[in-house]
Amino acid sequence: MSSTETHAPSFQHASVLLDGAVEALVHDPRGAYLDGTFGRGGHSRAILARLAPEGRLLGVDRDPQAIAEAGRIEDPRFTMQPGEFSRLGEFAEAHGLHGRLAGILLDIGVSSPQLDDPERGFSFLRDGPLDMRMDPTQGESAAEWLARVKEDEIARVFKSHGEERYARRLARAIVARRGERPFTRTQDLAEVIKTAHPAWEKGKHPATRAFQALRIQVNGELEQLDAALEAALEALAPGGHLVVISFHSLEDRRVKRFIRDQARGDTHLPRGIPLREDQLNRRLEALGKARRPGDAEVAENPRARSAVMRVARKLR
């Protein structure tokens, strides 16, 4: 690189529940594992540190910056696969690992580097283009989505994806303002929401829930999670571990329900029919209760406060 060129900014990322997640995941050091949300590689590097020489790790991420970071890992046991984590079954198949994975890790949501880089448009705290895409080369940006959808759809997304009590009021304000000029910057949108919001929560910016909802909508995050959970169940080997870290109740409820349903097995059979355990078609068992970061980790990384980790083992 010449002296006239500039380096891309470096944004730090602390992997949440790092030790606990890797400990729960890696039960066979010689096995093959998949990190479905590589991010900046914190979990992947910790997994590799626990693997034996014959172990293997497949990383997956759709963020171009995450893919670039993966290129810094020089380890023959590691392979990076660009793409959405909902396609992990397809990727496992392509790498000869489908049905053979000893463990799958999913760390759901947006990473600190994505939040901290104003050019990605995830945060209302720093002004930047209103983008919010995990992969800026694919799909529709938040600005494009807001410019085309009707007020009812904006309100629905704010309510369902952000659990925003005043979704209708905020949607109305957004539509009224975009009639004058379109939204293109994060702080412009945040200011309109801030002005329209009638009840600010203590210690929380009034645009927090709306921005979360927009990000989830633009990236199809809930649909991605549902598809990834189903794919993970098939890609794991019997006895394989599924570890999922989520950061808000919408995600965690989905993960909890998925594990619960797979642990119950076939619930459509008439009551009173005597069945052996293997006839219930139970696919997963939960390994312990939901786990959360300790006080020390939250003090060091406040963004870890809302994290919830759930662990399950594939039965058959």
Side-chain angles (χ1 to χ4, degrees), residues 123-159:
S123 176
F124 44 77
L125 298 177
R126 300 171 180 83
D127 191 41
L130 187 58
D131 194 311
M132 295 193 187
R133 289 172 293 176
M134 299 287 189
D135 180 354
T137 69
Q138 299 290 327
E140 189 175 40
S141 71
E144 291 167 335
W145 186 83
L146 276 180
R148 72 168 180 82
V149 299
K150 296 181 179 180
E151 180 182 315
D152 285 349
E153 178 65 2
I154 297 173
R156 183 194 68 78
V157 167
F158 283 3
K159 182 71 173 178

PDB file of all heavy atoms in Angstrom, residues 123-159:
ATOM      1  N   SER A 123     -26.384   2.513  13.419  1.00  0.00           N
ATOM      2  CA  SER A 123     -26.543   3.221  14.685  1.00  0.00           C
ATOM      3  C   SER A 123     -27.056   4.637  14.505  1.00  0.00           C
ATOM      4  O   SER A 123     -26.683   5.338  13.562  1.00  0.00           O
ATOM      5  CB  SER A 123     -25.200   3.252  15.431  1.00  0.00           C
ATOM      6  OG  SER A 123     -25.300   4.005  16.621  1.00  0.00           O
ATOM      7  N   PHE A 124     -27.887   5.058  15.441  1.00  0.00           N
ATOM      8  CA  PHE A 124     -28.378   6.435  15.462  1.00  0.00           C
ATOM      9  C   PHE A 124     -27.428   7.352  16.224  1.00  0.00           C
ATOM     10  O   PHE A 124     -27.624   8.562  16.265  1.00  0.00           O
ATOM     11  CB  PHE A 124     -29.764   6.496  16.121  1.00  0.00           C
ATOM     12  CG  PHE A 124     -29.863   5.663  17.368  1.00  0.00           C
ATOM     13  CD1 PHE A 124     -29.325   6.085  18.574  1.00  0.00           C
ATOM     14  CD2 PHE A 124     -30.482   4.427  17.329  1.00  0.00           C
ATOM     15  CE1 PHE A 124     -29.412   5.305  19.704  1.00  0.00           C
ATOM     16  CE2 PHE A 124     -30.574   3.639  18.457  1.00  0.00           C
ATOM     17  CZ  PHE A 124     -30.032   4.086  19.654  1.00  0.00           C
ATOM     18  N   LEU A 125     -26.398   6.804  16.852  1.00  0.00           N
ATOM     19  CA  LEU A 125     -25.478   7.606  17.652  1.00  0.00           C
ATOM     20  C   LEU A 125     -24.454   8.337  16.803  1.00  0.00           C
ATOM     21  O   LEU A 125     -23.897   9.349  17.229  1.00  0.00           O
ATOM     22  CB  LEU A 125     -24.758   6.712  18.672  1.00  0.00           C
ATOM     23  CG  LEU A 125     -25.672   6.030  19.700  1.00  0.00           C
ATOM     24  CD1 LEU A 125     -24.850   5.124  20.603  1.00  0.00           C
ATOM     25  CD2 LEU A 125     -26.433   7.069  20.517  1.00  0.00           C
ATOM     26  N   ARG A 126     -24.165   7.800  15.606  1.00  0.00           N
ATOM     27  CA  ARG A 126     -23.209   8.428  14.696  1.00  0.00           C
ATOM     28  C   ARG A 126     -23.870   8.580  13.339  1.00  0.00           C
ATOM     29  O   ARG A 126     -24.521   7.662  12.850  1.00  0.00           O
ATOM     30  CB  ARG A 126     -21.941   7.576  14.560  1.00  0.00           C
ATOM     31  CG  ARG A 126     -21.211   7.361  15.870  1.00  0.00           C
ATOM     32  CD  ARG A 126     -20.100   6.321  15.705  1.00  0.00           C
ATOM     33  NE  ARG A 126     -19.380   6.092  16.936  1.00  0.00           N
ATOM     34  CZ  ARG A 126     -19.784   5.264  17.895  1.00  0.00           C
ATOM     35  NH1 ARG A 126     -20.909   4.598  17.741  1.00  0.00           N
ATOM     36  NH2 ARG A 126     -19.062   5.105  18.994  1.00  0.00           N
ATOM     37  N   ASP A 127     -23.708   9.731  12.732  1.00  0.00           N
ATOM     38  CA  ASP A 127     -24.370   9.974  11.454  1.00  0.00           C
ATOM     39  C   ASP A 127     -23.680   9.211  10.327  1.00  0.00           C
ATOM     40  O   ASP A 127     -22.448   9.186  10.230  1.00  0.00           O
ATOM     41  CB  ASP A 127     -24.357  11.470  11.134  1.00  0.00           C
ATOM     42  CG  ASP A 127     -25.262  11.775   9.951  1.00  0.00           C
ATOM     43  OD1 ASP A 127     -26.354  11.183   9.886  1.00  0.00           O
ATOM     44  OD2 ASP A 127     -24.862  12.583   9.100  1.00  0.00           O
ATOM     45  N   GLY A 128     -24.481   8.584   9.508  1.00  0.00           N
ATOM     46  CA  GLY A 128     -23.957   7.840   8.361  1.00  0.00           C
ATOM     47  C   GLY A 128     -25.076   7.542   7.398  1.00  0.00           C
ATOM     48  O   GLY A 128     -26.252   7.844   7.659  1.00  0.00           O
ATOM     49  N   PRO A 129     -24.754   6.941   6.263  1.00  0.00           N
ATOM     50  CA  PRO A 129     -25.792   6.574   5.296  1.00  0.00           C
ATOM     51  C   PRO A 129     -26.766   5.565   5.906  1.00  0.00           C
ATOM     52  O   PRO A 129     -26.354   4.664   6.638  1.00  0.00           O
ATOM     53  CB  PRO A 129     -25.004   5.967   4.133  1.00  0.00           C
ATOM     54  CG  PRO A 129     -23.687   5.568   4.721  1.00  0.00           C
ATOM     55  CD  PRO A 129     -23.405   6.534   5.814  1.00  0.00           C
ATOM     56  N   LEU A 130     -28.033   5.702   5.618  1.00  0.00           N
ATOM     57  CA  LEU A 130     -29.066   4.841   6.199  1.00  0.00           C
ATOM     58  C   LEU A 130     -29.116   3.524   5.419  1.00  0.00           C
ATOM     59  O   LEU A 130     -29.944   3.333   4.537  1.00  0.00           O
ATOM     60  CB  LEU A 130     -30.414   5.562   6.158  1.00  0.00           C
ATOM     61  CG  LEU A 130     -31.587   4.900   6.869  1.00  0.00           C
ATOM     62  CD1 LEU A 130     -31.288   4.688   8.339  1.00  0.00           C
ATOM     63  CD2 LEU A 130     -32.849   5.746   6.675  1.00  0.00           C
ATOM     64  N   ASP A 131     -28.185   2.625   5.754  1.00  0.00           N
ATOM     65  CA  ASP A 131     -28.039   1.388   4.997  1.00  0.00           C
ATOM     66  C   ASP A 131     -28.555   0.184   5.797  1.00  0.00           C
ATOM     67  O   ASP A 131     -29.585  -0.381   5.514  1.00  0.00           O
ATOM     68  CB  ASP A 131     -26.563   1.187   4.603  1.00  0.00           C
ATOM     69  CG  ASP A 131     -26.404   0.118   3.535  1.00  0.00           C
ATOM     70  OD1 ASP A 131     -26.980  -0.975   3.692  1.00  0.00           O
ATOM     71  OD2 ASP A 131     -25.705   0.364   2.542  1.00  0.00           O
ATOM     72  N   MET A 132     -27.789  -0.255   6.808  1.00  0.00           N
ATOM     73  CA  MET A 132     -28.154  -1.329   7.736  1.00  0.00           C
ATOM     74  C   MET A 132     -28.042  -2.739   7.169  1.00  0.00           C
ATOM     75  O   MET A 132     -28.393  -3.702   7.850  1.00  0.00           O
ATOM     76  CB  MET A 132     -29.575  -1.153   8.303  1.00  0.00           C
ATOM     77  CG  MET A 132     -29.769   0.060   9.157  1.00  0.00           C
ATOM     78  SD  MET A 132     -31.333  -0.034  10.066  1.00  0.00           S
ATOM     79  CE  MET A 132     -31.400   1.598  10.796  1.00  0.00           C
ATOM     80  N   ARG A 133     -27.550  -2.917   5.959  1.00  0.00           N
ATOM     81  CA  ARG A 133     -27.440  -4.269   5.411  1.00  0.00           C
ATOM     82  C   ARG A 133     -26.196  -4.970   5.953  1.00  0.00           C
ATOM     83  O   ARG A 133     -25.115  -4.376   5.996  1.00  0.00           O
ATOM     84  CB  ARG A 133     -27.370  -4.228   3.888  1.00  0.00           C
ATOM     85  CG  ARG A 133     -28.672  -3.856   3.212  1.00  0.00           C
ATOM     86  CD  ARG A 133     -28.498  -3.638   1.731  1.00  0.00           C
ATOM     87  NE  ARG A 133     -27.681  -2.449   1.456  1.00  0.00           N
ATOM     88  CZ  ARG A 133     -27.306  -2.077   0.241  1.00  0.00           C
ATOM     89  NH1 ARG A 133     -27.643  -2.805  -0.810  1.00  0.00           N
ATOM     90  NH2 ARG A 133     -26.572  -0.990   0.083  1.00  0.00           N
ATOM     91  N   MET A 134     -26.349  -6.229   6.341  1.00  0.00           N
ATOM     92  CA  MET A 134     -25.198  -7.032   6.752  1.00  0.00           C
ATOM     93  C   MET A 134     -24.238  -7.199   5.576  1.00  0.00           C
ATOM     94  O   MET A 134     -23.021  -7.177   5.746  1.00  0.00           O
ATOM     95  CB  MET A 134     -25.655  -8.408   7.241  1.00  0.00           C
ATOM     96  CG  MET A 134     -26.574  -8.374   8.445  1.00  0.00           C
ATOM     97  SD  MET A 134     -25.714  -7.941   9.959  1.00  0.00           S
ATOM     98  CE  MET A 134     -27.010  -8.254  11.152  1.00  0.00           C
ATOM     99  N   ASP A 135     -24.789  -7.373   4.397  1.00  0.00           N
ATOM    100  CA  ASP A 135     -24.007  -7.427   3.164  1.00  0.00           C
ATOM    101  C   ASP A 135     -24.419  -6.247   2.299  1.00  0.00           C
ATOM    102  O   ASP A 135     -25.473  -6.291   1.646  1.00  0.00           O
ATOM    103  CB  ASP A 135     -24.253  -8.742   2.424  1.00  0.00           C
ATOM    104  CG  ASP A 135     -23.444  -8.835   1.124  1.00  0.00           C
ATOM    105  OD1 ASP A 135     -22.784  -7.843   0.754  1.00  0.00           O
ATOM    106  OD2 ASP A 135     -23.485  -9.898   0.479  1.00  0.00           O
ATOM    107  N   PRO A 136     -23.620  -5.171   2.288  1.00  0.00           N
ATOM    108  CA  PRO A 136     -24.000  -3.960   1.555  1.00  0.00           C
ATOM    109  C   PRO A 136     -24.093  -4.143   0.048  1.00  0.00           C
ATOM    110  O   PRO A 136     -24.556  -3.234  -0.646  1.00  0.00           O
ATOM    111  CB  PRO A 136     -22.876  -2.972   1.915  1.00  0.00           C
ATOM    112  CG  PRO A 136     -22.240  -3.513   3.144  1.00  0.00           C
ATOM    113  CD  PRO A 136     -22.355  -4.998   3.024  1.00  0.00           C
ATOM    114  N   THR A 137     -23.675  -5.294  -0.461  1.00  0.00           N
ATOM    115  CA  THR A 137     -23.739  -5.530  -1.903  1.00  0.00           C
ATOM    116  C   THR A 137     -25.032  -6.212  -2.327  1.00  0.00           C
ATOM    117  O   THR A 137     -25.263  -6.415  -3.519  1.00  0.00           O
ATOM    118  CB  THR A 137     -22.554  -6.392  -2.379  1.00  0.00           C
ATOM    119  OG1 THR A 137     -22.705  -7.728  -1.861  1.00  0.00           O
ATOM    120  CG2 THR A 137     -21.221  -5.818  -1.902  1.00  0.00           C
ATOM    121  N   GLN A 138     -25.860  -6.599  -1.355  1.00  0.00           N
ATOM    122  CA  GLN A 138     -27.054  -7.373  -1.669  1.00  0.00           C
ATOM    123  C   GLN A 138     -28.305  -6.715  -1.093  1.00  0.00           C
ATOM    124  O   GLN A 138     -28.281  -6.166   0.012  1.00  0.00           O
ATOM    125  CB  GLN A 138     -26.935  -8.795  -1.096  1.00  0.00           C
ATOM    126  CG  GLN A 138     -25.773  -9.602  -1.629  1.00  0.00           C
ATOM    127  CD  GLN A 138     -25.949 -10.005  -3.073  1.00  0.00           C
ATOM    128  OE1 GLN A 138     -27.075 -10.247  -3.516  1.00  0.00           O
ATOM    129  NE2 GLN A 138     -24.868 -10.077  -3.812  1.00  0.00           N
ATOM    130  N   GLY A 139     -29.400  -6.790  -1.822  1.00  0.00           N
ATOM    131  CA  GLY A 139     -30.691  -6.410  -1.285  1.00  0.00           C
ATOM    132  C   GLY A 139     -30.932  -4.916  -1.172  1.00  0.00           C
ATOM    133  O   GLY A 139     -30.224  -4.088  -1.755  1.00  0.00           O
ATOM    134  N   GLU A 140     -31.931  -4.587  -0.386  1.00  0.00           N
ATOM    135  CA  GLU A 140     -32.465  -3.243  -0.269  1.00  0.00           C
ATOM    136  C   GLU A 140     -31.980  -2.591   1.027  1.00  0.00           C
ATOM    137  O   GLU A 140     -32.047  -3.194   2.091  1.00  0.00           O
ATOM    138  CB  GLU A 140     -34.000  -3.350  -0.267  1.00  0.00           C
ATOM    139  CG  GLU A 140     -34.755  -2.067  -0.371  1.00  0.00           C
ATOM    140  CD  GLU A 140     -36.250  -2.328  -0.492  1.00  0.00           C
ATOM    141  OE1 GLU A 140     -36.761  -3.240   0.211  1.00  0.00           O
ATOM    142  OE2 GLU A 140     -36.908  -1.644  -1.276  1.00  0.00           O
ATOM    143  N   SER A 141     -31.509  -1.361   0.935  1.00  0.00           N
ATOM    144  CA  SER A 141     -31.062  -0.643   2.136  1.00  0.00           C
ATOM    145  C   SER A 141     -32.266  -0.172   2.940  1.00  0.00           C
ATOM    146  O   SER A 141     -33.405  -0.154   2.453  1.00  0.00           O
ATOM    147  CB  SER A 141     -30.207   0.559   1.751  1.00  0.00           C
ATOM    148  OG  SER A 141     -31.011   1.575   1.162  1.00  0.00           O
ATOM    149  N   ALA A 142     -32.000   0.245   4.183  1.00  0.00           N
ATOM    150  CA  ALA A 142     -33.072   0.779   5.025  1.00  0.00           C
ATOM    151  C   ALA A 142     -33.688   2.023   4.394  1.00  0.00           C
ATOM    152  O   ALA A 142     -34.910   2.227   4.448  1.00  0.00           O
ATOM    153  CB  ALA A 142     -32.533   1.097   6.412  1.00  0.00           C
ATOM    154  N   ALA A 143     -32.855   2.869   3.783  1.00  0.00           N
ATOM    155  CA  ALA A 143     -33.357   4.077   3.130  1.00  0.00           C
ATOM    156  C   ALA A 143     -34.297   3.722   1.981  1.00  0.00           C
ATOM    157  O   ALA A 143     -35.362   4.337   1.821  1.00  0.00           O
ATOM    158  CB  ALA A 143     -32.194   4.918   2.621  1.00  0.00           C
ATOM    159  N   GLU A 144     -33.926   2.741   1.180  1.00  0.00           N
ATOM    160  CA  GLU A 144     -34.764   2.334   0.047  1.00  0.00           C
ATOM    161  C   GLU A 144     -36.075   1.729   0.528  1.00  0.00           C
ATOM    162  O   GLU A 144     -37.134   1.971  -0.055  1.00  0.00           O
ATOM    163  CB  GLU A 144     -33.993   1.343  -0.826  1.00  0.00           C
ATOM    164  CG  GLU A 144     -32.817   1.974  -1.559  1.00  0.00           C
ATOM    165  CD  GLU A 144     -31.877   0.946  -2.173  1.00  0.00           C
ATOM    166  OE1 GLU A 144     -31.819  -0.198  -1.678  1.00  0.00           O
ATOM    167  OE2 GLU A 144     -31.187   1.305  -3.148  1.00  0.00           O
ATOM    168  N   TRP A 145     -36.007   0.933   1.595  1.00  0.00           N
ATOM    169  CA  TRP A 145     -37.221   0.318   2.130  1.00  0.00           C
ATOM    170  C   TRP A 145     -38.173   1.384   2.664  1.00  0.00           C
ATOM    171  O   TRP A 145     -39.374   1.381   2.365  1.00  0.00           O
ATOM    172  CB  TRP A 145     -36.855  -0.681   3.235  1.00  0.00           C
ATOM    173  CG  TRP A 145     -38.023  -1.462   3.734  1.00  0.00           C
ATOM    174  CD1 TRP A 145     -38.568  -2.581   3.182  1.00  0.00           C
ATOM    175  CD2 TRP A 145     -38.810  -1.171   4.896  1.00  0.00           C
ATOM    176  NE1 TRP A 145     -39.639  -3.017   3.928  1.00  0.00           N
ATOM    177  CE2 TRP A 145     -39.808  -2.168   4.985  1.00  0.00           C
ATOM    178  CE3 TRP A 145     -38.765  -0.179   5.875  1.00  0.00           C
ATOM    179  CZ2 TRP A 145     -40.757  -2.189   6.004  1.00  0.00           C
ATOM    180  CZ3 TRP A 145     -39.709  -0.194   6.898  1.00  0.00           C
ATOM    181  CH2 TRP A 145     -40.694  -1.188   6.965  1.00  0.00           C
ATOM    182  N   LEU A 146     -37.645   2.335   3.438  1.00  0.00           N
ATOM    183  CA  LEU A 146     -38.478   3.397   4.001  1.00  0.00           C
ATOM    184  C   LEU A 146     -39.089   4.282   2.917  1.00  0.00           C
ATOM    185  O   LEU A 146     -40.166   4.849   3.100  1.00  0.00           O
ATOM    186  CB  LEU A 146     -37.656   4.262   4.951  1.00  0.00           C
ATOM    187  CG  LEU A 146     -37.493   3.787   6.386  1.00  0.00           C
ATOM    188  CD1 LEU A 146     -36.643   4.769   7.170  1.00  0.00           C
ATOM    189  CD2 LEU A 146     -38.843   3.574   7.066  1.00  0.00           C
ATOM    190  N   ALA A 147     -38.403   4.399   1.797  1.00  0.00           N
ATOM    191  CA  ALA A 147     -38.893   5.275   0.735  1.00  0.00           C
ATOM    192  C   ALA A 147     -40.075   4.683  -0.020  1.00  0.00           C
ATOM    193  O   ALA A 147     -40.859   5.429  -0.622  1.00  0.00           O
ATOM    194  CB  ALA A 147     -37.757   5.567  -0.244  1.00  0.00           C
ATOM    195  N   ARG A 148     -40.230   3.362   0.009  1.00  0.00           N
ATOM    196  CA  ARG A 148     -41.241   2.749  -0.861  1.00  0.00           C
ATOM    197  C   ARG A 148     -42.456   2.166  -0.136  1.00  0.00           C
ATOM    198  O   ARG A 148     -43.529   2.033  -0.724  1.00  0.00           O
ATOM    199  CB  ARG A 148     -40.598   1.653  -1.718  1.00  0.00           C
ATOM    200  CG  ARG A 148     -40.211   0.404  -0.977  1.00  0.00           C
ATOM    201  CD  ARG A 148     -39.857  -0.751  -1.906  1.00  0.00           C
ATOM    202  NE  ARG A 148     -39.478  -1.949  -1.144  1.00  0.00           N
ATOM    203  CZ  ARG A 148     -40.351  -2.792  -0.623  1.00  0.00           C
ATOM    204  NH1 ARG A 148     -41.652  -2.600  -0.775  1.00  0.00           N
ATOM    205  NH2 ARG A 148     -39.924  -3.850   0.061  1.00  0.00           N
ATOM    206  N   VAL A 149     -42.319   1.779   1.150  1.00  0.00           N
ATOM    207  CA  VAL A 149     -43.422   1.055   1.799  1.00  0.00           C
ATOM    208  C   VAL A 149     -44.459   2.017   2.375  1.00  0.00           C
ATOM    209  O   VAL A 149     -44.180   3.185   2.650  1.00  0.00           O
ATOM    210  CB  VAL A 149     -42.909   0.113   2.908  1.00  0.00           C
ATOM    211  CG1 VAL A 149     -41.979  -0.931   2.327  1.00  0.00           C
ATOM    212  CG2 VAL A 149     -42.210   0.899   4.019  1.00  0.00           C
ATOM    213  N   LYS A 150     -45.658   1.503   2.572  1.00  0.00           N
ATOM    214  CA  LYS A 150     -46.748   2.298   3.101  1.00  0.00           C
ATOM    215  C   LYS A 150     -46.641   2.449   4.613  1.00  0.00           C
ATOM    216  O   LYS A 150     -45.929   1.707   5.288  1.00  0.00           O
ATOM    217  CB  LYS A 150     -48.088   1.660   2.726  1.00  0.00           C
ATOM    218  CG  LYS A 150     -48.345   1.633   1.225  1.00  0.00           C
ATOM    219  CD  LYS A 150     -49.692   1.009   0.910  1.00  0.00           C
ATOM    220  CE  LYS A 150     -49.970   1.010  -0.585  1.00  0.00           C
ATOM    221  NZ  LYS A 150     -51.290   0.398  -0.906  1.00  0.00           N
ATOM    222  N   GLU A 151     -47.384   3.409   5.126  1.00  0.00           N
ATOM    223  CA  GLU A 151     -47.374   3.688   6.565  1.00  0.00           C
ATOM    224  C   GLU A 151     -47.753   2.457   7.383  1.00  0.00           C
ATOM    225  O   GLU A 151     -47.138   2.169   8.421  1.00  0.00           O
ATOM    226  CB  GLU A 151     -48.348   4.832   6.863  1.00  0.00           C
ATOM    227  CG  GLU A 151     -48.423   5.220   8.333  1.00  0.00           C
ATOM    228  CD  GLU A 151     -49.423   6.326   8.582  1.00  0.00           C
ATOM    229  OE1 GLU A 151     -49.433   7.301   7.808  1.00  0.00           O
ATOM    230  OE2 GLU A 151     -50.203   6.215   9.552  1.00  0.00           O
ATOM    231  N   ASP A 152     -48.740   1.702   6.925  1.00  0.00           N
ATOM    232  CA  ASP A 152     -49.175   0.513   7.664  1.00  0.00           C
ATOM    233  C   ASP A 152     -48.047  -0.501   7.814  1.00  0.00           C
ATOM    234  O   ASP A 152     -47.916  -1.145   8.852  1.00  0.00           O
ATOM    235  CB  ASP A 152     -50.360  -0.151   6.964  1.00  0.00           C
ATOM    236  CG  ASP A 152     -51.657   0.621   7.153  1.00  0.00           C
ATOM    237  OD1 ASP A 152     -51.666   1.544   7.996  1.00  0.00           O
ATOM    238  OD2 ASP A 152     -52.649   0.307   6.471  1.00  0.00           O
ATOM    239  N   GLU A 153     -47.247  -0.653   6.752  1.00  0.00           N
ATOM    240  CA  GLU A 153     -46.148  -1.622   6.794  1.00  0.00           C
ATOM    241  C   GLU A 153     -45.045  -1.162   7.729  1.00  0.00           C
ATOM    242  O   GLU A 153     -44.462  -1.973   8.475  1.00  0.00           O
ATOM    243  CB  GLU A 153     -45.598  -1.843   5.382  1.00  0.00           C
ATOM    244  CG  GLU A 153     -44.414  -2.803   5.289  1.00  0.00           C
ATOM    245  CD  GLU A 153     -44.751  -4.235   5.665  1.00  0.00           C
ATOM    246  OE1 GLU A 153     -45.927  -4.532   5.972  1.00  0.00           O
ATOM    247  OE2 GLU A 153     -43.820  -5.075   5.658  1.00  0.00           O
ATOM    248  N   ILE A 154     -44.727   0.125   7.729  1.00  0.00           N
ATOM    249  CA  ILE A 154     -43.721   0.646   8.662  1.00  0.00           C
ATOM    250  C   ILE A 154     -44.182   0.410  10.094  1.00  0.00           C
ATOM    251  O   ILE A 154     -43.412  -0.055  10.937  1.00  0.00           O
ATOM    252  CB  ILE A 154     -43.476   2.147   8.411  1.00  0.00           C
ATOM    253  CG1 ILE A 154     -42.917   2.372   7.009  1.00  0.00           C
ATOM    254  CG2 ILE A 154     -42.508   2.712   9.461  1.00  0.00           C
ATOM    255  CD1 ILE A 154     -42.800   3.840   6.619  1.00  0.00           C
ATOM    256  N   ALA A 155     -45.454   0.711  10.360  1.00  0.00           N
ATOM    257  CA  ALA A 155     -45.990   0.513  11.708  1.00  0.00           C
ATOM    258  C   ALA A 155     -45.954  -0.960  12.108  1.00  0.00           C
ATOM    259  O   ALA A 155     -45.620  -1.297  13.246  1.00  0.00           O
ATOM    260  CB  ALA A 155     -47.419   1.050  11.785  1.00  0.00           C
ATOM    261  N   ARG A 156     -46.300  -1.825  11.162  1.00  0.00           N
ATOM    262  CA  ARG A 156     -46.289  -3.267  11.476  1.00  0.00           C
ATOM    263  C   ARG A 156     -44.898  -3.742  11.839  1.00  0.00           C
ATOM    264  O   ARG A 156     -44.719  -4.486  12.821  1.00  0.00           O
ATOM    265  CB  ARG A 156     -46.795  -4.068  10.266  1.00  0.00           C
ATOM    266  CG  ARG A 156     -46.891  -5.566  10.520  1.00  0.00           C
ATOM    267  CD  ARG A 156     -47.061  -6.355   9.242  1.00  0.00           C
ATOM    268  NE  ARG A 156     -45.869  -6.320   8.410  1.00  0.00           N
ATOM    269  CZ  ARG A 156     -44.777  -7.065   8.638  1.00  0.00           C
ATOM    270  NH1 ARG A 156     -44.713  -7.889   9.668  1.00  0.00           N
ATOM    271  NH2 ARG A 156     -43.751  -6.991   7.812  1.00  0.00           N
ATOM    272  N   VAL A 157     -43.893  -3.321  11.078  1.00  0.00           N
ATOM    273  CA  VAL A 157     -42.516  -3.746  11.342  1.00  0.00           C
ATOM    274  C   VAL A 157     -42.016  -3.181  12.671  1.00  0.00           C
ATOM    275  O   VAL A 157     -41.380  -3.890  13.460  1.00  0.00           O
ATOM    276  CB  VAL A 157     -41.599  -3.318  10.178  1.00  0.00           C
ATOM    277  CG1 VAL A 157     -40.122  -3.444  10.556  1.00  0.00           C
ATOM    278  CG2 VAL A 157     -41.902  -4.162   8.948  1.00  0.00           C
ATOM    279  N   PHE A 158     -42.299  -1.910  12.951  1.00  0.00           N
ATOM    280  CA  PHE A 158     -41.883  -1.325  14.224  1.00  0.00           C
ATOM    281  C   PHE A 158     -42.515  -2.063  15.396  1.00  0.00           C
ATOM    282  O   PHE A 158     -41.872  -2.268  16.429  1.00  0.00           O
ATOM    283  CB  PHE A 158     -42.277   0.153  14.280  1.00  0.00           C
ATOM    284  CG  PHE A 158     -41.387   1.062  13.477  1.00  0.00           C
ATOM    285  CD1 PHE A 158     -40.336   0.563  12.711  1.00  0.00           C
ATOM    286  CD2 PHE A 158     -41.593   2.427  13.476  1.00  0.00           C
ATOM    287  CE1 PHE A 158     -39.517   1.402  11.969  1.00  0.00           C
ATOM    288  CE2 PHE A 158     -40.776   3.284  12.746  1.00  0.00           C
ATOM    289  CZ  PHE A 158     -39.743   2.764  11.987  1.00  0.00           C
ATOM    290  N   LYS A 159     -43.766  -2.478  15.221  1.00  0.00           N
ATOM    291  CA  LYS A 159     -44.471  -3.180  16.295  1.00  0.00           C
ATOM    292  C   LYS A 159     -43.968  -4.607  16.454  1.00  0.00           C
ATOM    293  O   LYS A 159     -43.662  -5.056  17.570  1.00  0.00           O
ATOM    294  CB  LYS A 159     -45.972  -3.187  15.988  1.00  0.00           C
ATOM    295  CG  LYS A 159     -46.835  -3.850  17.052  1.00  0.00           C
ATOM    296  CD  LYS A 159     -46.909  -3.006  18.304  1.00  0.00           C
ATOM    297  CE  LYS A 159     -47.901  -3.591  19.301  1.00  0.00           C
ATOM    298  NZ  LYS A 159     -47.942  -2.788  20.552  1.00  0.00           N
TER     299      LYS A 159
END
